[in-house]
């Protein structure tokens, strides 16, 4: 599979127009995290370094063709003293397949607090996807087929202490297997890519036998503190509601030292497979 460095290396066609490569994949449509990550890269390249991305809000409009590249058109909505805003439209075959707004903030000082990281086993104490598949857990084979460059360690249910009243809960350690470039912006764009990998799966942990058609519908992220995507990150995921063929999911991402580095909310398609 393509390296994340290649996926996020966009070609600049015009001042505000970029093109991302098609990547090798086993998926029938372009992976949503790829589109979000590339869109964020295109937005970042139109902002001066003094501003750092702090949030993005995206909508998946059409499935992408994974055999074709994607063009990203950036609108410079606002350049202020403290905040900048960009709107990105991803286009393929003459149609918009994804649209995203991204906000950038100059570094400032203010109040500080965060929730504590959940108590879970360390990733080194948990089996990786390869080990789970060798043990007969075929439900984790997707991680080896599509994302062999990433290391996933799922926290077993017996080590989960969920908050009272939480409907569906999942926790996953993850990181890039390879050492990534030091540029902090690269790690932010990489996390935008990675954040779409397991989140919708949190809606399925209490419906293991149900067969559904799944796809990301919208995706929002907030980047809270510095991190590296090649260090272990804990993705604390919940699905507070599912119904009418859609599931709401949310996640908090912590680094291995317990710092909350990002938050994610996503709604995804989870409708029953239609009989042919």
């Amino acid at each position: 599979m393509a390296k994340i460095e290649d996926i996020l290396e966009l070609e600049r066609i015009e001042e505000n127009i970029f093109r991302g490569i098609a990547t090798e994949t086993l998926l029938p449509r372009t992976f949503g995290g790829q589109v979000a990550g590339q869109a964020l890269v295109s937005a970042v390249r139109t902002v001066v370094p003094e501003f750092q991305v702090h949030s993005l809000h995206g909508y998946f409009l059409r499935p992408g063709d994974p055999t074709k590249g994607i063009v990203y058109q950036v609108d410079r909505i606002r350049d202020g003293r403290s905040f900048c805003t960009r709107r990105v439209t991803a286009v393929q075959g003459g149609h918009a397949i994804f649209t995203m707004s991204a906000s950038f903030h100059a570094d400032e000082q203010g109040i500080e607090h965060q929730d504590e990281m959940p108590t879970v086993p360390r990733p080194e104490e948990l089996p990786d996807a390869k080990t789970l598949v060798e043990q007969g857990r075929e439900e984790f084979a997707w991680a080896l087929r599509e994302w062999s460059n990433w290391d996933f360690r799922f926290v077993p249910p017996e080590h989960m202490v969920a908050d009272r009243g939480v409907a569906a809960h999942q926790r996953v350690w993850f990181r890039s297997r390879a050492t990534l470039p030091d540029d902090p912006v690269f790690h932010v764009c990489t996390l935008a890519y990675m954040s779409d990998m397991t989140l919708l799966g949190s809606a399925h942990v209490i419906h293991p036998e149900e067969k559904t058609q799944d796809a990301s519908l919208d995706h929002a992220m907030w980047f809270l503190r510095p991190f590296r995507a090649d260090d272990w990150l804990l993705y604390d995921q919940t699905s507070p509601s599912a119904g009418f063929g859609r599931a709401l999911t949310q996640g908090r991402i912590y680094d291995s030292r317990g710092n909350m580095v990002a938050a994610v909310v996503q709604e995804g398609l989870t409708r029953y497979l239609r009989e042919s």
Side-chain angles (χ1 to χ4, degrees):
M1 298 301 171
K3 297 191 300 183
I4 190 66
E5 293 92 333
D6 297 329
I7 294 171
L8 298 182
E9 182 57 44
L10 304 189
E11 173 190 3
R12 193 167 210 147
I13 301 174
E14 294 286 352
E15 184 66 20
N16 299 314
I17 302 176
F18 303 82
R19 180 162 51 211
I21 65 170
T23 61
E24 180 184 359
T25 180
L26 300 173
L27 300 175
R29 56 183 178 270
T30 306
F31 171 52
Q34 175 183 324
V35 184
Q38 289 180 340
L40 185 57
V41 170
S42 69
V44 166
R45 291 195 180 177
T46 67
V47 178
V48 296
E50 290 76 15
F51 290 84
Q52 301 296 317
V53 61
H54 72 92
S55 69
L56 65 84
H57 299 256
Y59 286 90
F60 297 92
L61 307 176
R62 294 180 176 87
D65 183 345
T67 67
K68 298 178 180 178
I70 302 172
V71 172
Y72 297 90
Q73 302 171 342
V74 182
D75 291 328
R76 302 183 185 223
I77 302 300
R78 178 176 184 266
D79 287 304
R81 287 185 297 179
S82 297
F83 289 90
C84 294
T85 305
R86 297 292 185 264
R87 182 171 59 223
V88 183
T89 303
V91 178
Q92 195 178 64
H95 298 286
I97 65 170
F98 177 76
T99 183
M100 182 189 77
S101 294
S103 182
F104 298 77
H105 187 204
D107 188 27
E108 296 182 296
Q109 299 300 311
I111 63 172
E112 293 189 23
H113 64 260
Q114 68 157 71
D115 287 349
E116 289 186 9
M117 184 176 77
T119 300
V120 296
R122 302 296 297 175
E124 297 83 1
E125 302 170 4
L126 300 172
D128 62 7
K130 183 175 184 295
T131 301
L132 291 172
V133 171
E134 290 173 347
Q135 294 173 350
R137 303 288 300 279
E138 286 298 322
E139 65 268 30
F140 295 103
W142 59 267
L144 298 179
R145 291 194 302 265
E146 187 64 30
W147 288 294
S148 58
N149 295 334
W150 310 96
D151 194 346
F152 297 94
R153 308 290 176 98
F154 289 82
V155 177
E158 60 268 24
H159 291 288
M160 292 276 294
V161 180
D163 295 334
R164 181 179 178 184
V166 172
H169 208 167
Q170 176 174 265
R171 289 176 177 145
V172 187
W173 287 100
F174 68 101
R175 68 174 178 181
S176 167
R177 292 185 183 276
T179 300
L180 300 177
D182 289 331
D183 180 7
V185 176
F186 182 86
H187 289 264
V188 168
C189 295
T190 298
L191 188 60
Y193 174 92
M194 298 172 76
S195 66
D196 191 39
M197 286 186 182
T198 60
L199 185 55
L200 192 53
S202 65
H204 289 278
V205 294
I206 57 173
H207 307 281
E209 304 302 323
E210 301 288 359
K211 297 186 182 301
T212 59
Q213 178 187 357
D214 298 342
S216 302
L217 297 176
D218 63 1
H219 196 84
M221 289 191 73
W222 295 264
F223 302 96
L224 308 175
R225 292 173 179 84
F227 62 91
R228 290 188 64 95
D230 50 8
D231 287 340
W232 284 113
L233 298 170
L234 178 67
Y235 208 165
D236 181 27
Q237 306 167 340
T238 62
S239 178
S241 178
F244 303 97
R246 304 185 309 275
L248 179 67
T249 58
Q250 55 193 20
R252 300 182 299 176
I253 302 176
Y254 297 85
D255 67 17
S256 60
R257 295 171 296 281
N259 299 307
M260 187 187 298
V261 301
V264 189
V265 175
Q266 181 184 91
E267 187 178 43
L269 183 72
T270 54
R271 66 187 174 202
Y272 289 126
L273 287 174
R274 297 168 180 169
E275 296 183 2
S276 57

